[in-house]
Amino acid sequence: MNRPMNGDVFPGRDTGNRIWLNVLLFVLTAYTTTAAGVQMAVAMHVAVSPESLPRDLYSPELLWNPKYLVLGLPFSGTLLLILGIHEMGHYLTSRRWMVRATLPYFIPFPSFIGTLGAVIKIRSRIPNPRALMDIGASGPLAGFVVALLALIVGLHLSEVVPVSTFAEGGISLGNSILGGWLTNQIIGDLPEGYAIYDHPIFVAGWLGLFVTALNLMPVGQFDGGHIVYAFGGARIHALVSKAALFVLGGLWALGPPYDWLYVQDGVSTWLDTRWPGWLIWILIALALGRRHTPTGDPDLVLDPFRKLIAYLSLIIFVLCFVPRPISFSVP
């Protein structure tokens, strides 16, 4: 079973070597993410320098003409690099522990980002908690480094423009602790009436950090669940998984924004402002299963370095987590 926007590893049956499927899915995902990147690049041109925008950029030719598709490569290349590094972290660490694993399966999906992420499959039993810690943490940590660099570069390339240049309606990305701090350091305070128009590379970096946080959620078969299981065993894993699902439900019901508290039609406003993604992730976690497959030698304890990796993963999760990731506004 695959799950979207996630680089987690999970058991799977050996179905033979099907590298052609990995290649096909990668090519399709490269196209869908490039097409999404074209839309971002066009929107930024409209907002920042509309005089440089040819009229025919609004035609369906955007989806097939190479001279237009090249506009989407900064977003597509950055996002695929982040996802690929994440998955290869899992894959190469699995190989180092002599655990059989597939190459990454990228998941194309026509949308404003063009993909649902990537996954690998583990095809043999993980031998002990140390191997589980290494395999589970290697993907998020590797992907985090690349996503962080992309976010920094993207912030330097983003533009500060008058609010009036933004089209009515659209998508707003929420800030994590790390993202908000970096924005303040690189861009600083905005003049009144101005806002940041995010460069596509920034969007890719933001997505990379968001995916890192999703993967590090301490639930079931997610990367964070593997880390918790390796660190505390089956009992701690079960308790933390239940608590995490409860927190996600509470975040959906009681998380920001809080405008509904101050208006007359509060119930309707509350429902309109709930981000459904947390409910979707709860369902995905339940579908994958809250229980964890035992390792081969559960009595092998973690050494201090691997415990440090667990603490580092927790810190990264807190820094990258976004309570309300995406907001949609209508004209």
Side-chain angles (χ1 to χ4, degrees):
M1 179 184 296
N2 291 339
R3 60 184 179 83
M5 282 304 292
N6 180 357
D8 200 5
V9 294
F10 51 89
R13 292 189 304 172
D14 189 351
T15 55
N17 188 8
R18 295 181 178 178
I19 294 180
W20 64 267
L21 181 58
N22 302 82
V23 174
L24 175 62
L25 290 174
F26 175 80
V27 171
L28 291 175
T29 306
Y31 173 75
T32 54
T33 53
T34 299
V38 170
Q39 301 301 319
M40 295 180 197
V42 168
M44 189 169 187
H45 277 293
V46 170
V48 176
S49 53
E51 69 281 354
S52 68
L53 189 70
R55 183 181 300 273
D56 60 359
L57 271 178
Y58 296 101
S59 75
E61 196 176 0
L62 281 170
L63 300 177
W64 60 265
N65 192 322
K67 75 175 181 179
Y68 297 142
L69 287 176
V70 71
L71 297 173
L73 292 181
F75 171 77
S76 176
T78 304
L79 183 59
L80 291 179
L81 179 64
I82 294 169
L83 295 176
I85 291 293
H86 182 124
E87 297 307 324
M88 291 307 294
H90 288 313
Y91 176 78
L92 294 175
T93 307
S94 298
R95 292 290 299 269
R96 184 168 63 85
W97 277 100
M98 301 184 70
V99 173
R100 299 180 62 218
T102 68
L103 290 169
Y105 292 94
F106 287 81
I107 307 173
F109 185 72
S111 64
F112 78 98
I113 62 172
T115 181
L116 292 177
V119 296
I120 70 170
K121 288 184 178 181
I122 295 296
R123 291 178 166 171
S124 61
R125 193 173 189 180
I126 296 177
N128 55 63
R130 293 182 182 179
L132 181 62
M133 176 64 74
D134 291 355
I135 294 171
S138 57
L141 294 183
F144 168 77
V145 173
V146 183
L148 179 60
L149 293 175
L151 192 79
I152 294 172
V153 171
L155 278 171
H156 282 287
L157 295 175
S158 296
E159 299 279 353
V160 176
V161 299
V163 174
S164 59
T165 62
F166 284 83
E168 294 185 3
I171 299 172
S172 299
L173 303 179
N175 259 335
S176 62
I177 295 174
L178 180 60
W181 181 80
L182 285 172
T183 300
N184 288 334
Q185 296 299 311
I186 295 173
I187 294 181
D189 296 330
L190 295 175
E192 186 176 354
Y194 282 76
I196 303 171
Y197 209 104
D198 300 326
H199 191 275
I201 291 179
F202 170 85
V203 178
W206 184 95
L207 287 169
L209 294 183
F210 180 52
V211 170
T212 297
L214 290 179
N215 276 281
L216 287 174
M217 287 194 300
V219 179
Q221 298 293 320
F222 292 6
D223 290 338
H226 298 324
I227 293 170
V228 170
Y229 189 93
F231 188 88
R235 182 173 177 273
I236 297 299
H237 175 271
L239 291 174
V240 172
S241 289
K242 290 178 182 178
L245 290 175
F246 179 79
V247 169
L248 284 181
L251 189 61
W252 172 80
L254 301 175
Y258 299 107
D259 298 347
W260 57 276
L261 290 171
Y262 310 105
V263 297
Q264 184 175 1
D265 192 10
V267 174
S268 177
T269 304
W270 168 80
L271 189 59
D272 290 341
T273 58
R274 299 303 90 194
W275 189 62
W278 298 131
L279 293 182
I280 295 172
W281 282 98
I282 290 174
L283 293 176
I284 291 172
L286 293 175
L288 290 173
R290 288 188 291 108
R291 294 186 177 183
H292 197 286
T293 305
T295 58
D297 182 8
D299 296 326
L300 183 63
V301 298
L302 296 181
D303 55 275
F305 177 73
R306 288 181 173 86
K307 290 182 179 179
L308 182 62
I309 289 176
Y311 294 129
L312 177 61
S313 299
L314 175 61
I315 292 172
I316 291 175
F317 170 72
V318 172
L319 291 178
C320 295
F321 189 78
V322 184
R324 183 175 174 80
I326 300 173
S327 301
F328 297 92
S329 58
V330 294

